[in-house]
């Protein structure tokens, strides 16, 4: 989707940032312009963003303070950095469904009178009767959450930014101006869920050999082995040498069943960017049937 700029506002630290970026890469492909504004200038956040920028996985990033980013819609900052026709603003604790960007942009293109599509419900929307059904088309709304939205960049004017609050979302300066100009606000359901902070630090989940399916012979198993990590990925595994909580994937080697010469999994070589210590992570996917 090369017509959209996504501006991610991150305040949850490197773990939330990494999870959010991976979700965006998986659900939008490589065509969108992805920009990160981090309200956390810690060294691990800065190093992580620098690596992603140098690899070309994000178009730009900025570091600030949590006071300057947390709790603001950030439209004034986002519109100065974005260059594409459509502008997306989101937080790092939101996770997107596959195809969400194409659906939202298609909805805007088919309805020129809609100027703002929110992807998160407001309090007012949630407390009216039963939970809303998931709908394929955006539904007109008097209010729209500024936590995550898609708009046309041509409608933005720098300086239109306010504190995000469920109680004051109706008074968002940008939304008020859009309605004055005759544009509608809308809500598109089913595209975003709120993720819990923290959780499993990552790594390939360990599986008992008895739980693994038997391999299908040399040819069949080779075709079925799947990589959990891609080369160059940053994975949340703790370095045993220095305690850093993220390792870079350097290589993936196929492991074989010696009895049948059949592929049964992968062995990953990982490097700690903090101390350069090498680590190895086994991902067994099949067992010998005999």
């Amino acid at each position: 989707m090369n017509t959209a700029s996504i501006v991610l506002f991150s305040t949850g630290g490197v773990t939330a940032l990494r999870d959010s970026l991976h979700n965006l890469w998986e659900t939008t492909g490589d065509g969108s312009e992805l920009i990160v504004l981090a309200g956390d200038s810690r060294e691990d956040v800065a190093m992580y963003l620098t690596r992603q920028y140098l690899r070309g996985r994000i178009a730009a990033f900025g570091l600030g303070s949590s006071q300057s980013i947390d709790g603001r819609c950030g439209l004034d900052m986002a519109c100065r950095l974005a260059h594409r026709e459509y502008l997306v603003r989101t937080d790092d604790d939101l996770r997107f469904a596959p195809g969400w960007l194409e659906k939202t942009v298609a909805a805007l293109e088919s309805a020129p009178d809609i100027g703002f599509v929110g992807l998160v419900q407001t309090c007012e929307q949630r407390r009216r009767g039963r939970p809303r059904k998931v709908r394929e088309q955006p539904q007109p709304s008097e209010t729209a959450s500024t936590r995550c939205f898609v708009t046309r960049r041509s409608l933005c004017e720098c300086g239109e930014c306010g504190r995000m609050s469920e109680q004051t979302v109706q008074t968002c300066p940008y939304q008020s101006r859009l309605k004055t100009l005759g544009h509608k606000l809308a809500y598109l359901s089913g595209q975003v869920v709120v993720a819990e902070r923290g959780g499993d630090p990552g790594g390939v989940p360990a599986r008992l050999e008895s739980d693994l399916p038997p391999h299908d012979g040399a040819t069949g198993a080779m075709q079925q082995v799947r990589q959990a990590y891609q080369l160059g990925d940053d994975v949340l595994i703790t370095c045993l040498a220095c305690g850093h909580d993220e390792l870079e994937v350097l290589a993936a080697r196929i492991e074989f069943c010696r009895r049948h010469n059949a592929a049964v999994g992968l062995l990953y070589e990982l490097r700690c960017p903090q101390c350069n210590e090498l680590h190895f992570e086994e991902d067994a996917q099949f067992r010998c049937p005999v």
Side-chain angles (χ1 to χ4, degrees):
M1 180 57 66
N2 58 12
T3 60
S5 296
I6 303 172
V7 182
L8 171 65
F9 285 76
S10 178
T11 59
V14 71
T15 300
L17 171 60
R18 175 200 175 276
D19 290 347
S20 181
L21 284 176
H22 276 266
N23 173 252
L24 288 169
W25 289 327
E26 290 167 1
T27 58
T28 61
D30 299 326
S32 56
E33 179 184 51
L34 183 54
I35 299 160
V36 180
L37 293 176
D40 189 341
S41 55
R42 294 185 316 182
E43 184 178 358
D44 57 348
V45 172
M47 289 177 60
Y48 179 76
L49 287 173
T50 300
R51 290 201 301 274
Q52 305 315 312
Y53 175 74
L54 293 175
R55 292 171 183 168
R57 305 195 74 180
I58 60 176
F61 70 91
L63 300 172
S65 64
S66 58
Q67 289 79 16
S68 66
I69 289 179
D70 191 19
R72 302 194 70 83
C73 95
L75 183 64
D76 52 350
M77 294 180 278
C79 70
R80 284 194 290 265
L81 294 170
H83 300 92
R84 304 289 177 83
E85 182 179 357
Y86 294 96
L87 172 63
V88 182
R89 183 257 186 251
T90 185
D91 286 335
D92 63 359
D93 64 341
L94 301 177
R95 301 293 177 264
F96 293 89
W100 68 274
L101 185 57
E102 290 84 354
K103 291 178 183 177
T104 310
V105 169
L108 281 167
E109 290 179 340
S110 64
D113 58 333
I114 295 179
F116 186 111
V117 176
L119 301 180
V120 175
Q121 286 182 316
T122 64
C123 282
E124 182 176 341
Q125 290 168 333
R126 286 194 292 268
R127 62 173 174 257
R128 289 179 176 175
R130 296 180 179 179
R132 290 191 174 201
K133 295 181 180 179
V134 175
R135 301 181 184 275
E136 291 296 322
Q137 297 299 321
Q139 303 302 304
S141 177
E142 287 300 312
T143 63
S145 173
T146 52
R147 285 198 65 203
C148 181
F149 61 84
V150 185
T151 188
R152 294 178 177 83
R153 184 173 170 274
S154 61
L155 299 176
C156 300
E157 291 184 358
C158 293
E160 293 176 303
C161 180
R163 297 293 300 181
M164 290 191 301
S165 166
E166 296 283 18
Q167 289 75 32
T168 61
V169 68
Q170 306 94 302
T171 61
C172 166
Y174 181 57
Q175 294 181 26
S176 297
R177 183 173 66 83
L178 287 180
K179 289 193 284 187
T180 300
L181 295 175
H183 296 283
K184 296 179 180 178
L185 310 180
Y187 166 66
L188 181 60
S189 61
Q191 306 307 310
V192 174
V193 296
V194 180
E196 293 184 6
R197 295 290 192 187
D200 189 350
V204 177
R207 299 173 68 185
L208 298 175
E209 185 176 351
S210 59
D211 295 333
L212 298 173
H215 67 65
D216 243 354
T219 303
M222 179 71 81
Q223 295 173 345
Q224 295 176 49
V225 168
R226 295 289 181 264
Q227 281 190 229
Y229 309 139
Q230 300 300 316
L231 302 187
D233 274 359
D234 296 304
V235 298
L236 297 180
I237 299 176
T238 301
C239 174
L240 299 179
C242 71
H244 187 64
D245 62 0
E246 190 173 71
L247 304 180
E248 178 186 359
V249 180
L250 297 181
R253 187 174 73 227
I254 297 176
E255 297 275 89
F256 291 89
C257 164
R258 294 181 181 179
R259 185 185 182 96
H260 299 96
N261 197 33
V264 293
L266 293 159
L267 181 68
Y268 293 97
E269 181 180 350
L270 308 108
R271 180 185 69 89
C272 174
Q274 193 79 13
C275 68
N276 290 320
E277 185 77 11
L278 291 180
H279 298 265
F280 297 90
E281 181 83 1
E282 186 177 12
D283 178 17
Q285 300 178 29
F286 300 95
R287 61 177 173 84
C288 178
V290 181

